[in-house]
Amino acid sequence: MQLPRYIAHRGLSAHAPENTLAAIQAASDAGCKWIELDVQCLGDGTPVIWHDARVDRCSNGQGALIDMTRDDIRSLDVGSWFSVDFRGERMALLDEALSLVSALDMGLNLELKLNVGHDPVQLVDVAVHRARQVLPQDRLLVSSFDMTALEHARSQDDTLALGLLYEAIPRRWASDAERLRPTSVHADWTQLDQERLIEIQAAELAMLCYTVNDPERFASWWDHGVTGVFTDDPALFDARYQRQLRGDGRRKPR
Ligand code: G3P
Ligand code: MG
């Protein structure tokens, strides 16, 4: 699997409401080849693209996803909170998102989001199964903070590309890797540890960092074996590159 340097986090979430079809389309329009999306199940088992346990932050409604059905979420406006330009945007069903990612020929990091009370086995059975039907193997990377979900995913599919997702990379990452045979390790870049990066490089796994919106502060980590970053706006990195080409930067970008 060829993982890119920049993955648009929740779609192009700097310029469109996160985790929506509009954000997927915007990422493609901006030239991104890969995106990250969060998936979870509603109370009726429908898989949807959404980050939070509740709809309050990113819609005009209130309530927990686990108490909602497909009909409930279809009446929500999930665009206006971001900008009037996105008024009327609907919460994306997983199926709709997969169809669009496929049509746009993009790669997808599908993050299995297990908010409290959600069932990891159900989510894998519904969401990973569906994603595997729609996307080719080299354009689907499934990650999760929830090791039960990853274990179930691996037990169902020997060839699925998995990403171990952590905040700070724990000492036990190597035993997780031995069990789960991942393609990549994903971690919060503000909690990176050089020693762990050396171990991950030695294990020949890809290292992806989230959520990097400050290319200047992040720059030195490229030298420590980082493969790519999740960013809300990949253009920030282009802007840094352009500054360096003009000679404003201290050294040539890598
Ligand atoms: O998958 C990387 C990143 O998205 C994990 O954190 O909270 O943004 O889903 P979060
Ligand atoms: Mg995520």
Side-chain angles (χ1 to χ4, degrees):
M1 173 174 280
Q2 275 294 105
L3 289 169
R5 213 162 153 81
Y6 308 115
I7 298 176
H9 180 240
R10 308 182 193 174
L12 194 66
S13 57
H15 297 290
E18 63 180 59
N19 279 322
T20 60
L21 299 180
I24 299 171
Q25 184 67 56
S28 175
D29 293 347
C32 304
K33 296 291 177 219
W34 275 70
I35 54 171
E36 184 259 8
L37 298 173
D38 304 295
V39 66
Q40 52 184 312
C41 283
L42 300 174
D44 66 2
T46 306
V48 293
I49 303 300
W50 200 252
H51 179 276
D52 297 357
R54 298 177 61 85
V55 300
D56 305 34
R57 181 176 62 90
C58 298
S59 83
N60 62 346
Q62 286 187 333
L65 257 71
I66 207 156
D67 298 326
M68 294 183 170
T69 65
R70 181 177 165 140
D71 284 348
D72 295 331
I73 58 106
R74 291 311 255 184
S75 61
L76 297 174
D77 174 342
V78 304
S80 294
W81 71 274
F82 186 85
S83 149
V84 289
D85 296 344
F86 297 95
R87 186 171 36 212
E89 185 75 24
R90 298 289 165 227
M91 188 185 290
L93 304 176
L94 172 65
D95 280 346
E96 294 171 330
L98 290 172
S99 299
L100 184 56
V101 168
S102 172
L104 295 171
D105 223 14
M106 299 174 94
L108 173 64
N109 173 202
L110 189 62
E111 185 195 332
L112 306 173
K113 187 60 87 184
L114 275 311
N115 287 312
V116 176
H118 288 250
D119 177 359
V121 171
Q122 176 200 34
L123 183 58
V124 169
D125 287 346
V126 174
V128 178
H129 179 72
R130 189 74 193 112
R132 282 289 266 135
Q133 287 177 327
V134 178
L135 296 177
Q137 194 169 313
D138 62 347
R139 286 202 278 118
L140 175 65
L141 173 64
V142 171
S143 64
S144 189
F145 288 110
D146 189 301
M147 293 300 136
T148 307
L150 294 183
E151 271 157 29
H152 185 57
R154 173 56 74 228
S155 76
Q156 298 301 298
D157 187 337
D158 210 39
T159 57
L160 177 70
L162 291 179
L164 303 179
L165 178 53
Y166 304 111
E167 289 173 350
I169 304 167
R171 277 178 191 282
R172 65 168 167 84
W173 83 267
S175 64
D176 289 343
E178 207 170 311
R179 270 193 339 278
L180 293 163
R181 288 175 288 109
T183 296
S184 51
V185 176
H186 309 186
D188 178 345
W189 78 276
T190 64
Q191 301 189 50
L192 282 180
D193 171 332
Q194 219 168 303
E195 216 176 296
R196 294 283 109 79
L197 288 195
I198 291 167
E199 294 169 8
I200 288 161
Q201 246 187 326
E204 296 183 354
L205 297 179
M207 179 70 223
L208 301 177
C209 299
Y210 65 88
T211 303
V212 186
N213 292 322
D214 187 339
E216 302 292 341
R217 273 183 62 212
F218 185 79
S220 63
W221 285 108
W222 292 116
D223 295 330
H224 296 290
V226 171
T227 311
V229 296
F230 300 97
T231 173
D232 297 333
D233 191 0
L236 295 170
F237 290 82
D238 292 342
R240 177 174 191 271
Y241 181 72
Q242 292 306 328
R243 276 197 304 279
Q244 289 189 322
L245 285 181
R246 287 198 309 268
D248 307 346
R250 278 193 305 269
R251 64 190 172 95
K252 233 172 155 253
R254 296 184 67 250

